[in-house]
């Protein structure tokens, strides 16, 4: 029997909405899936559903206040953040969404959210005009940019008796979304994934180099997403300011294309898959001056030679059990160039993005991609790079399965 929630620890956050009555059904469904549920409720949430009901369903005391008694004991939001496999805020009012987006930690629920190390799911519930208001939509966009999962509300008759979008998604559907998430999250368990990220710097002299504008954001987002799904990640990173946070990521810092090629060739044979996201220089100076080159005359001539092709080298040694994915950043003839690279370098799929798309490419926090394999191409809209990483790793997981 498929039970992806079995043994999962879930913090269920409940806020002051009439939809709080659905939280009782939601808690019961999660318990039936053999999940362990800890309810954290706001003071206004208790006006709509009692802690007694929720405690009876979950077999755990409901947490609402920082201090439960007057003997010095208190509820640790930090411990909850470490304990949980997921946090689900359902229903989430406009007020709570705003507090979460802006870090206003004036109750136990928001404080727990700010301490949460696990994925967070938010199921809005409010009247249609509140949901449509630019302030609410902005706050939801902020939460998405943080990597939170927004469970879109449905349309129908609301508590105001108006009809529109704002109804909290039904508990059965929310549970199915959580089950699907954990199926995907656990799909890379015990897999070994290598990812390259960032630019390479090709030295001209001790103070100058040939490089590009890559920030490494996309590659680091891919590494975090893989690690969050249980993979052991080897991240080979060029010179960037990004930080890897997940303990499942082993970072190897390199500078040049030659160094990245050497590390990639050394580690790839032990990997189940690799994603080549780095913007590797195609050319490097034939000779590097040991001293700073002084300005003499009107021109400086550099002699460049091709760097070693990492994608082609890995494609040549790839086994039938390994998956190899690459990136193609193009400025013209995008699809033709991407298909050509896919075939020449023996990739399983390639991620195409174009500098002609506003908000895509180097330095941005967003990206717009098309995933291409030998059978089809799948375009995606402009999204935060953390969300783009989820789409790419979904495809990788499908290939590995």
């Amino acid at each position: 029997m498929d039970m992806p929630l079995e043994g999962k620890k879930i913090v269920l956050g409940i806020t002051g909405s009439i939809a709080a009555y659905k939280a009782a059904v939601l808690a019961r469904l999660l318990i039936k899936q053999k999940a362990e549920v800890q309810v954290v409720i706001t003071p206004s949430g208790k006006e709509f559903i009692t802690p007694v009901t929720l405690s009876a369903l979950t077999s755990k005391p409901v947490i609402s206040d920082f201090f439960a008694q007057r003997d010095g004991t208190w509820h640790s939001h930090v411990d909850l953040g470490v304990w949980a496999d997921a946090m689900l805020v359902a229903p989430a009012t406009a007020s709570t969404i705003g507090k979460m987006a802006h870090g206003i930690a004036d109750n136990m629920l928001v404080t727990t959210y700010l301490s949460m190390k696990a994925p967070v799911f938010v199921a809005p519930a409010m009247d249609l005009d509140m949901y449509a208001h630019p302030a609410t939509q902005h706050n939801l966009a902020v939460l998405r940019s943080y990597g939170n999962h927004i469970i879109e509300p449905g349309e129908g008759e609301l508590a105001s008796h108006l009809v529109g979008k704002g109804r909290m998604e039904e508990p059965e559907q929310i549970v199915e979304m959580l089950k699907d998430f954990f199926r995907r999250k656990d799909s890379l368990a015990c897999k070994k994934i290598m990812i390259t990220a960032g630019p390479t710097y090709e030295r001209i002299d001790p103070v100058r180099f040939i490089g590009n504008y890559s920030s490494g954001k996309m590659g680091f987002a891919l590494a975090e997403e893989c690690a969050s799904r249980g993979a052991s990640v080897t991240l080979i990173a060029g010179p960037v300011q990004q930080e890897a946070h997940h303990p499942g990521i082993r970072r190897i810092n390199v500078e040049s294309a030659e160094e990245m090629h050497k590390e990639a060739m050394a580690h790839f044979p032990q990997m189940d898959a690799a994603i080549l996201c780095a913007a590797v220089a195609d050319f490097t100076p034939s000779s590097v001056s040991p001293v700073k080159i002084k300005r003499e005359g009107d021109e400086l001539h550099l002699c460049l030679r091709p760097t070693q092709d990492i994608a082609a080298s890995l494609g040549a040694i790839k086994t039938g059990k390994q998956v190899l994915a690459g990136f193609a950043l193009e400025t013209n003839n995008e699809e033709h160039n991407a298909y050509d690279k896919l075939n020449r370098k023996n990739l399983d799929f390639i991620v195409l993005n174009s500098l002609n798309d506003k908000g895509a490419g180097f330095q941005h926090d967003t990206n717009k991609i098309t995933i291409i394999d030998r059978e089809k191409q799948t375009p995606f809209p402009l999204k935060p790079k953390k969300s783009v990483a989820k789409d790419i790793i979904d495809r990788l997981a499908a290939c590995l399965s």
Side-chain angles (χ1 to χ4, degrees):
M1 186 177 179
D2 182 27
M3 298 284 281
L5 297 182
E6 184 172 2
K8 302 300 183 187
K9 300 178 177 66
I10 298 175
V11 171
L12 175 58
I14 302 172
T15 70
S17 164
I18 186 62
Y21 78 90
K22 293 183 179 180
V25 179
L26 187 52
R28 182 60 177 159
L29 291 173
L30 291 170
I31 295 295
K32 289 182 70 174
Q33 288 292 317
K34 300 187 182 299
E36 189 175 348
V37 180
Q38 174 61 65
V39 172
V40 179
I41 192 169
T42 64
S44 60
K46 292 189 290 185
E47 299 295 325
F48 292 89
I49 187 169
T50 69
V52 172
T53 298
L54 297 166
S55 179
L57 291 170
T58 63
S59 301
K60 286 180 177 290
V62 171
I63 297 174
S64 179
D65 302 311
F66 294 103
F67 304 98
Q69 304 177 41
R70 302 201 177 271
D71 59 359
T73 59
W74 65 298
H75 293 123
S76 173
H77 52 89
V78 176
D79 289 347
L80 284 173
V82 173
W83 172 82
D85 294 302
M87 181 176 186
L88 168 63
V89 184
T93 60
S95 175
T96 293
I97 289 169
K99 291 178 180 180
M100 291 169 67
H102 297 284
I104 302 173
D106 64 349
N107 61 47
M108 188 65 186
L109 190 153
V110 179
T111 308
T112 300
Y113 161 72
L114 293 175
S115 301
M116 187 57 54
K117 296 185 180 299
V120 177
F121 297 79
V122 181
M126 63 198 75
D127 206 60
L128 73 163
D129 293 318
M130 294 179 69
Y131 181 74
H133 196 281
T136 303
Q137 291 303 309
H138 170 75
N139 290 334
L140 288 170
V142 170
L143 291 183
R144 287 189 185 94
S145 74
Y146 295 160
N148 297 307
H149 305 265
I150 307 302
I151 301 174
E152 290 290 328
E155 295 191 19
E157 185 175 356
L158 305 171
S160 64
H161 302 299
L162 297 174
V163 176
K165 188 171 184 177
R167 288 172 59 94
M168 186 183 104
E169 182 60 274
E170 295 304 317
E172 292 80 5
Q173 294 303 313
I174 293 176
V175 171
E176 286 302 315
M177 291 178 189
L178 288 175
K179 288 168 65 177
D180 183 61
F181 171 81
F182 278 106
R183 286 190 196 99
R184 291 185 290 110
K185 183 178 185 298
D186 296 339
S187 64
L188 297 183
C190 301
K191 297 294 184 182
K192 296 179 180 179
I193 312 294
M194 183 181 80
I195 297 172
T196 65
T200 62
Y201 288 174
E202 309 303 318
R203 292 193 179 192
I204 298 171
D205 63 20
V207 297
R208 301 180 181 93
F209 61 87
I210 297 172
N212 57 59
Y213 296 111
S214 175
S215 64
K217 292 178 181 178
M218 190 70 254
F220 276 68
L222 289 168
E224 294 285 350
E225 180 65 19
C226 280
S228 74
R229 299 193 191 195
S232 175
V233 179
T234 298
L235 175 63
I236 304 174
V240 294
Q241 299 300 314
Q242 306 299 319
E243 294 291 336
H245 301 289
H246 198 286
I249 299 173
R250 176 195 176 196
R251 178 174 178 172
I252 300 172
N253 292 321
V254 298
E255 180 181 275
S256 67
E258 181 179 2
E259 291 173 352
M260 186 171 284
H261 181 274
K262 179 181 177 181
E263 294 292 345
M265 291 294 288
H267 290 91
F268 183 63
Q270 293 79 46
M271 298 293 146
D272 296 294
I275 304 176
L276 307 180
C277 186
V280 183
D282 292 318
F283 295 92
T284 189
S286 296
S287 62
V288 179
S289 173
V291 296
K292 180 181 177 182
I293 300 172
K294 299 297 184 181
R295 178 180 294 186
E296 296 178 358
D298 295 328
E299 294 181 344
L300 172 66
H301 294 277
L302 292 177
C303 183
L304 304 177
R305 59 177 173 81
T307 58
Q308 292 175 291
D309 191 324
I310 297 174
S313 296
L314 298 185
I317 65 172
K318 178 171 72 80
T319 70
K321 295 182 178 180
Q322 291 177 302
V323 175
L324 183 60
F327 271 68
L329 177 62
E330 302 293 341
T331 60
N332 63 295
N333 297 325
E334 289 95 337
E335 292 179 10
H336 172 79
N337 291 337
Y339 274 111
D340 179 61
K341 185 174 182 179
L342 173 77
N343 291 307
R344 281 190 298 106
K345 303 189 179 184
N346 193 25
L347 304 176
D348 292 282
F349 67 87
I350 194 164
V351 180
L352 169 65
N353 54 357
S354 172
L355 287 181
N356 294 317
D357 292 323
K358 185 178 180 181
F362 293 149
Q363 301 292 329
H364 295 289
D365 292 323
T366 54
N367 207 355
K368 182 180 180 182
I369 67 165
T370 299
I371 298 179
I372 298 173
D373 58 29
R374 289 176 177 80
E375 297 181 355
K376 63 181 179 179
Q377 52 179 287
T378 307
F380 295 86
L382 186 72
K383 297 182 179 182
K385 285 184 174 175
K386 288 184 179 179
S387 298
V388 174
K390 291 180 173 63
D391 295 330
I392 296 171
I393 302 308
D394 282 347
R395 176 60 64 91
L396 180 69
C399 290
L400 286 169
S401 65

